[in-house]
């Protein structure tokens, strides 16, 4: 972790094997008075050891529900089905003892709400020490040294380990939560908007540090975000979610540079990018409309009401997530017209017509 000789604890944690995550047909429905709300509706993906998957989409698409389902942190009103295989062990069917052992030890979480993740009446250092000693047979001094190294790693003064969460700023609390998630060097890190409370400079520093740990120790990570730029910089593969489904998945640069689903094209248009020398800055284009009602069955493509290229087939027949080329998957009936759609999607008028029609 830090400079000098590593402790026995650090060496033991560094030797942890990487893990593989396979998610198969994951479904999550919240039971409400109006009926089931299908927040996640049959998604599948894989995170290979040492790789980073970006889970991207607008607010309300189901990203955070997926993360909580992977750790079985959903409320009792949520009905979950499918399989979540962590090194061939299904998290969804684990008993309580096995689940406690897997959490933090094999799979750890960085939440987007740092204040809710920290106990307000326990010193932050004690919280990190408790998480370490719950899984590792070490004394308090060794665990506290590990916590100090982690604080230094995320840019916090180790002497502040004795303080309470309310004595930290929002950005400092977020870094403390990241330190806690890294405390046991879990094979898979779930990062749910991990830099949401940080300024751009600190965001870049923290992501660089997390990425360095992930690469040097062959850790895996799922980065959940709505920030396409963050995905482009840090993720090997990306899964684009819309209304509870993955509508496009593949190598990050391929998906972002040559999207094959109109939603991904629209998502890319909504974010600024670095321009080539002499290139004019294109306008940022928003997607009109909102997410569909997930209380009701949706017969066709979920994006059809907002898609400028939709036809009657799109509103009546759901497109499957199918392989286009290489490892690139897309759920669109008109993948053969992707190049044509990409060119049209760059024009604000294409989306403005849809706005007037909606």
């Amino acid at each position: 972790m830090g400079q000098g000789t590593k402790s026995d604890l650090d060496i033991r944690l560094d030797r942890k094997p990487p893990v593989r995550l396979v998610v198969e047909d994951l479904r999550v429905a919240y039971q409400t008075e109006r009926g089931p709300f299908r927040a996640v509706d049959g998604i599948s993906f894989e995170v290979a050891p040492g790789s980073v998957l970006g889970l991207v989409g607008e607010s309300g698409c189901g990203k955070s529900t997926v993360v909580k389902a992977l750790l079985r942190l959903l409320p009792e009103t949520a009905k979950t089905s499918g399989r979540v295989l962590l090194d061939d062990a299904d998290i969804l069917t684990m008993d309580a003892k096995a689940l406690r052992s897997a959490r933090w030890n094999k799979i750890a979480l960085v939440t987007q709400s740092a204040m809710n993740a920290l106990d307000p009446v326990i010193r932050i250092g004690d919280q990190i020490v408790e998480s370490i000693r719950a899984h590792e047979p070490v004394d308090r001094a060794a665990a506290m040294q590990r916590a100090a190294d982690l604080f230094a790693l995320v840019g916090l003064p180790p002497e502040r380990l004795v303080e309470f969460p309310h004595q930290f700023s929002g950005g400092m609390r977020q870094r403390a939560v990241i330190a806690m998630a890294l405390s046991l060097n879990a094979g898979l890190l779930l990062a749910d908007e991990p830099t949401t409370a940080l300024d751009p400079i600190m965001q870049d520093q923290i992501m660089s540090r997390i990425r360095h740990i992930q690469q040097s120790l062959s850790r895996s990570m799922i980065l959940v975000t709505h920030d396409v730029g963050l995905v482009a910089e840090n993720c090997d593969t990306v899964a684009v979610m819309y209304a509870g489904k993955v509508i496009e998945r593949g190598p990050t640069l391929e998906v972002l540079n040559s999207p094959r689903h109109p939603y991904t094209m629209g998502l890319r248009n909504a974010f600024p990018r670095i321009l080539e020398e002499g290139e004019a800055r294109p306008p940022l284009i928003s997607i009109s409309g909102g997410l569909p009602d997930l209380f009701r069955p949706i017969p066709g493509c979920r994006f059809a009401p907002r898609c400028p290229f939709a036809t009657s087939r799109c509103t009546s027949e759901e497109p499957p997530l199918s392989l286009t080329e290489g490892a690139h998957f897309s759920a669109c009936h008109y993948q053969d017209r992707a190049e044509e759609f990409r060119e049209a999607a760059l024009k604000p008028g294409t989306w403005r017509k849809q706005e007037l029609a909606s």
Side-chain angles (χ1 to χ4, degrees):
M1 293 292 302
Q3 301 296 322
T5 305
K6 287 189 175 184
S7 69
D8 291 342
L9 174 61
D10 290 336
I11 293 172
R12 188 162 62 249
L13 293 178
D14 287 355
R15 287 176 177 170
K16 274 188 177 182
V19 300
R20 178 182 298 275
L21 179 76
V22 178
V23 176
E24 298 177 349
D25 196 31
L26 179 64
R27 298 174 187 271
V28 179
Y30 295 101
Q31 307 305 311
T32 72
E33 294 181 355
R34 288 183 56 190
F37 181 85
R38 301 171 182 84
V40 177
D41 196 2
I43 72 169
S44 301
F45 59 83
E46 181 175 336
V47 184
S51 69
V52 181
L53 169 74
L55 198 59
V56 65
E58 61 191 283
S59 297
C61 72
K63 305 186 301 296
S64 293
T65 295
V66 170
V67 169
K68 291 176 182 176
L70 298 184
L71 278 166
R72 278 172 55 184
L73 293 174
L74 293 168
E76 292 182 358
T77 55
K79 182 179 180 181
T80 306
S81 64
R83 296 207 301 170
V84 177
L85 302 177
L86 190 65
D87 283 344
D88 298 325
D90 190 349
I91 291 178
L92 300 185
T93 59
M94 283 180 178
D95 60 29
K97 182 179 179 181
L99 183 61
R100 282 196 301 271
S101 177
R103 288 175 176 167
W104 294 105
N105 195 31
K106 280 195 168 186
I107 181 170
L109 171 66
V110 178
T111 66
Q112 58 181 309
S113 179
M115 198 60 193
N116 294 336
L118 296 168
D119 191 318
V121 297
I122 299 178
R123 300 177 194 274
I124 289 180
D126 290 338
Q127 296 187 51
I128 299 176
V129 165
E130 181 183 8
S131 69
I132 294 172
R133 298 188 71 192
H135 294 274
E136 289 290 334
V138 296
D139 59 25
R140 177 178 170 80
M144 187 59 79
Q145 182 57 55
R146 171 79 177 177
D149 289 343
L150 289 164
F151 255 42
L153 180 71
V154 298
L156 291 174
E159 55 268 22
R160 301 201 64 171
L161 282 165
V162 298
E163 296 183 2
F164 293 92
H166 73 268
Q167 295 175 280
F168 280 33
S169 68
M172 292 174 69
R173 285 195 294 266
Q174 191 68 21
R175 281 180 274 168
V177 167
I178 292 171
M180 185 179 294
L182 297 172
S183 62
L184 288 160
N185 197 25
L188 174 63
L189 181 66
L190 306 178
D192 188 2
E193 303 279 5
T195 58
T196 188
L198 306 180
D199 61 72
I201 295 175
M202 183 54 65
Q203 172 179 290
D204 184 65
Q205 290 177 356
I206 292 295
M207 286 308 305
S208 295
R209 287 166 177 166
I210 293 176
R211 184 69 163 154
H212 173 72
I213 293 172
Q214 179 266 332
Q215 289 177 332
S216 61
L217 299 178
S218 192
R219 305 295 92 182
S220 309
M221 182 167 68
I222 297 178
L223 176 60
V224 180
T225 182
H226 62 273
D227 189 335
V228 172
L230 208 58
V231 169
E233 290 181 354
N234 296 284
C235 300
D236 306 302
T237 58
V238 61
V240 181
M241 284 193 69
Y242 183 78
K245 283 189 173 289
V246 171
I247 51 87
E248 189 158 8
R249 189 182 78 223
T252 299
L253 294 182
E254 186 176 330
V255 170
L256 297 183
N257 290 332
S258 302
R260 303 188 73 86
H261 193 285
Y263 177 67
T264 311
M265 299 173 195
L267 201 63
R268 186 183 64 167
N269 286 342
F271 285 86
R273 60 182 177 84
I274 298 176
L275 303 177
E276 301 290 341
E277 187 175 352
E279 183 182 3
R281 181 171 297 281
L284 298 181
I285 308 170
S286 62
I287 304 174
S288 62
L291 294 169
D293 185 355
L294 297 183
F295 283 105
R296 300 177 180 178
I298 302 171
C301 173
R302 299 182 175 209
F303 186 58
R306 305 171 71 185
C307 180
F309 312 113
T311 67
S312 57
R313 181 187 180 191
C314 302
T315 58
S316 61
E317 180 185 339
E318 182 179 359
L321 184 67
S322 56
L323 184 65
T324 62
E325 57 185 358
H328 194 161
F329 293 78
S330 175
C332 179
H333 289 307
Y334 301 105
Q335 294 186 33
D336 57 330
R337 299 178 60 188
E339 188 173 347
E340 171 193 343
F341 288 172
R342 282 195 294 269
E343 185 175 345
L346 295 173
K347 303 173 182 177
T350 299
W351 301 91
R352 197 170 297 126
K353 292 176 184 177
Q354 180 62 18
E355 183 176 352
L356 293 173
S358 60

